[in-house]
């Protein structure tokens, strides 16, 4: 018989049953925190994406149906990523502001079916750019490449206007060019779109976790990498600098991406700025959970939920995740 410890303080009392744990719970994930990224293409079929099991490239009809299912489960926000046909790509990515293009038609179709779903669109050139970069590429005589900042920002403004005209609620620049938030804000306001919000990819890192996404869209850079515009994974002070600029330029919301490996960045930005903050659980994070679960090594539902809870606990108000529909169903 062991003796009782003299322990007036016993943290386990706050974990003694489910109801007590519920009272003591600090972070609650809800379906209204989730943003569902969806891939679209021009075809009539819904094609499974090999690099991202469980995800599809949706036809417009398939997209509307999928948004409806997610909506039923409680997801209120979606973001679109288009796979653009090779023949429509160009060095300046002009297709990105074609009012008859795939994204504007997707916006119109989803808003017609579900007017209160928040439609977010990605602002960047990579799906449209024949070089596979987020900005316009200049090749020097020696073959070195340079991503042109100010010229790119001009095109991004046209892309944002095109999406706003089609009915987007939020435009979301993911390109990491300097000055794009202010320029897009100005262009939107001048066109009478002062109600359209900007969710800025503030701290978007040059991450290897985007691999499966680039496979899904065939959007990998043809030459070079994205390190002259996306951030160095080693840096966190730089994220604060980007956040200060984005907020000053008029960003309504900011974002950290990827999410899971960058929880410290989420926390630091949460403590430093007042605007709502998103985090993007990217394709590589998704795929790692999916693959481990497929082999039976982990429980997909539980790990997906825990990964999102961790991101929220770190300070994210909203999370972009390919698990959005499934997790919302679990929550409801
Ligand atoms: C490109 C963009 C990328 C993602 C979202 N927008 C890839 C990239 O920067 O190469 C990645 C998302 C993911 O991996 O899930 N503007």
């Amino acid at each position: 018989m062991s003796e009782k410890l003299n322990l007036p303080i016993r943290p386990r009392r706050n974990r003694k049953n489910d109801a007590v744990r519920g009272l003591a719970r600090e972070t609650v994930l809800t379906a209204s925190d989730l943003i569902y990224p969806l891939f679209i293409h021009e075809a009539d079929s819904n094609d499974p994406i090999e690099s991202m099991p469980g995800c599809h490239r949706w036809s417009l009809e398939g997209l509307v149906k999928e948004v409806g299912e997610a909506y039923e489960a409680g997801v209120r926000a979606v973001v679109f990523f288009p796979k653009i046909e090779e023949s429509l790509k160009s060095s300046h990515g002009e297709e990105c502001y074609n009012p008859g293009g795939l994204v504007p038609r997707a916006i119109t179709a989803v808003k017609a079916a579900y007017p209160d779903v928040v439609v977010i669109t990605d602002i960047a050139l990579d799906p449209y750019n024949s070089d596979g970069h987020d900005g316009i590429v200049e090749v020097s005589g020696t073959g070195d490449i340079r991503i042109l900042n100010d010229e790119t920002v001009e095109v991004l403004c046209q892309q944002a206007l095109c999406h706003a005209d089609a009915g987007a609620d939020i435009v979301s620049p993911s390109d990491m060019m300097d000055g794009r938030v202010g320029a897009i804000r100005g262009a939107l306001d001048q066109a009478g779109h002062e109600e359209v919000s900007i969710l800025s990819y503030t701290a978007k890192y040059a991450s290897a976790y985007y691999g499966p996404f680039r496979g899904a869209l065939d959007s990998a850079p043809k030459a070079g990498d994205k390190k002259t515009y996306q951030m160095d994974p080693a840096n966190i002070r730089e994220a604060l600098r980007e956040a200060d600029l984005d907020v000053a330029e008029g960003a309504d919301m900011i974002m950290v991406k990827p999410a899971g490996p960058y929880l410290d960045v989420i926390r630091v930005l949460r403590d430093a700025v007042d605007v709502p903050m998103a985090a993007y659980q990217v394709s590589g994070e998704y795929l790692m959970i999916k693959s481990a679960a497929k082999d039976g090594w982990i429980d997909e539902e539980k790990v997906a939920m825990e990964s999102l809870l961790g991101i929220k606990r770190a300070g994210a108000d909203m999370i972009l995740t390919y698990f959005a529909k499934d997790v919302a169903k679990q929550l409801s």
Side-chain angles (χ1 to χ4, degrees):
M1 273 277 282
S2 60
E3 243 175 72
K4 284 283 178 193
L5 296 170
N6 176 20
L7 271 187
I9 298 171
R10 291 178 183 264
R12 284 186 54 192
R13 277 195 289 268
N14 286 343
R15 302 176 209 138
K16 68 181 152 198
N17 62 43
D18 198 47
V20 170
R21 288 192 295 275
L23 295 173
R25 187 157 298 133
E26 300 173 37
T27 307
V28 179
L29 185 72
T30 66
S32 57
D33 301 327
L34 305 175
I35 300 172
Y36 191 16
L38 293 156
F39 298 99
I40 51 178
H41 65 175
E42 203 56 73
D44 291 330
S45 52
N46 302 311
D47 300 350
I49 297 172
E50 208 185 340
S51 58
M52 299 178 65
C55 296
H56 294 77
R57 280 183 219 96
W58 300 104
S59 67
L60 288 189
E61 203 182 313
L63 171 74
V64 171
K65 196 161 161 273
E66 182 69 4
V67 171
E69 284 180 20
Y71 185 82
E72 286 302 310
V75 176
R76 292 289 181 273
V78 294
V79 56
F80 305 146
F81 292 103
K83 181 172 160 67
I84 301 297
E85 279 160 39
E86 222 40 55
S87 62
L88 294 174
K89 297 187 183 181
S90 62
S91 64
H92 283 56
E94 285 91 347
E95 177 64 15
C96 81
Y97 52 84
N98 173 5
L102 183 57
V103 169
R105 278 180 284 130
I107 299 168
T108 313
V110 167
K111 284 307 256 186
Y114 299 99
D116 55 342
V117 163
V118 176
V119 169
I120 306 172
T121 61
D122 196 67
I123 303 297
L125 298 192
D126 53 311
Y128 307 93
N129 181 310
S130 38
D131 299 296
H133 275 283
D134 291 19
I136 299 168
V137 175
E138 184 186 73
V139 186
S140 76
T142 57
D144 293 332
I145 67 160
R146 222 158 61 85
I147 313 299
L148 303 179
N149 192 88
D150 301 14
E151 293 80 348
T152 297
V153 170
E154 250 182 74
V155 182
L156 298 175
C157 287
Q158 301 199 59
Q159 186 181 21
L161 282 178
C162 165
H163 294 176
D165 286 341
D169 300 288
I170 301 179
V171 293
S172 191
S174 70
D175 55 287
M176 291 300 280
M177 296 301 122
D178 292 332
R180 90 281 206 212
V181 171
I184 290 171
R185 184 70 272 157
L188 289 173
D189 289 352
Q190 211 177 5
H193 286 305
E194 59 279 335
E195 280 174 21
V196 174
S197 320
I198 299 177
L199 164 57
S200 176
Y201 285 68
T202 292
K204 178 175 180 180
Y205 287 88
S207 170
Y209 285 85
Y210 307 149
F213 175 97
R214 293 180 190 169
L217 294 186
D218 258 336
S219 63
K222 305 262 158 65
D225 52 40
K226 299 191 175 186
K227 291 180 187 168
T228 66
Y229 46 105
Q230 297 181 350
M231 281 178 49
D232 184 339
N235 292 356
I236 189 164
R237 288 197 303 270
E238 194 179 1
L240 283 166
R241 188 173 188 222
E242 288 282 3
D244 284 344
L245 283 168
D246 280 359
V247 171
E249 289 177 32
D252 298 284
M253 303 167 172
I254 63 170
M255 193 196 302
V256 174
K257 174 183 176 188
Y262 295 83
L263 297 179
D264 55 333
V265 180
I266 295 173
R267 170 47 55 193
V268 161
L269 291 194
R270 170 68 296 146
D271 292 342
V273 300
D274 295 328
V275 296
M277 188 167 60
Y280 197 144
Q281 182 181 55
V282 302
S283 55
E285 299 174 74
Y286 171 80
L287 181 61
M288 289 193 308
I289 295 174
K290 278 280 181 187
S291 313
K294 181 169 156 275
D295 290 340
W297 296 115
I298 60 172
D299 179 319
E300 176 178 325
E301 284 197 352
K302 289 187 177 141
V303 172
M305 186 68 80
E306 186 177 333
S307 67
L308 296 175
L309 193 63
I311 294 164
K312 184 147 189 217
R313 190 193 61 240
D317 301 296
M318 60 197 110
I319 306 170
L320 293 86
T321 174
Y322 303 100
F323 288 116
K325 186 177 85 171
D326 293 347
V327 164
K329 279 187 187 162
Q330 260 196 82
L331 289 169
S332 65

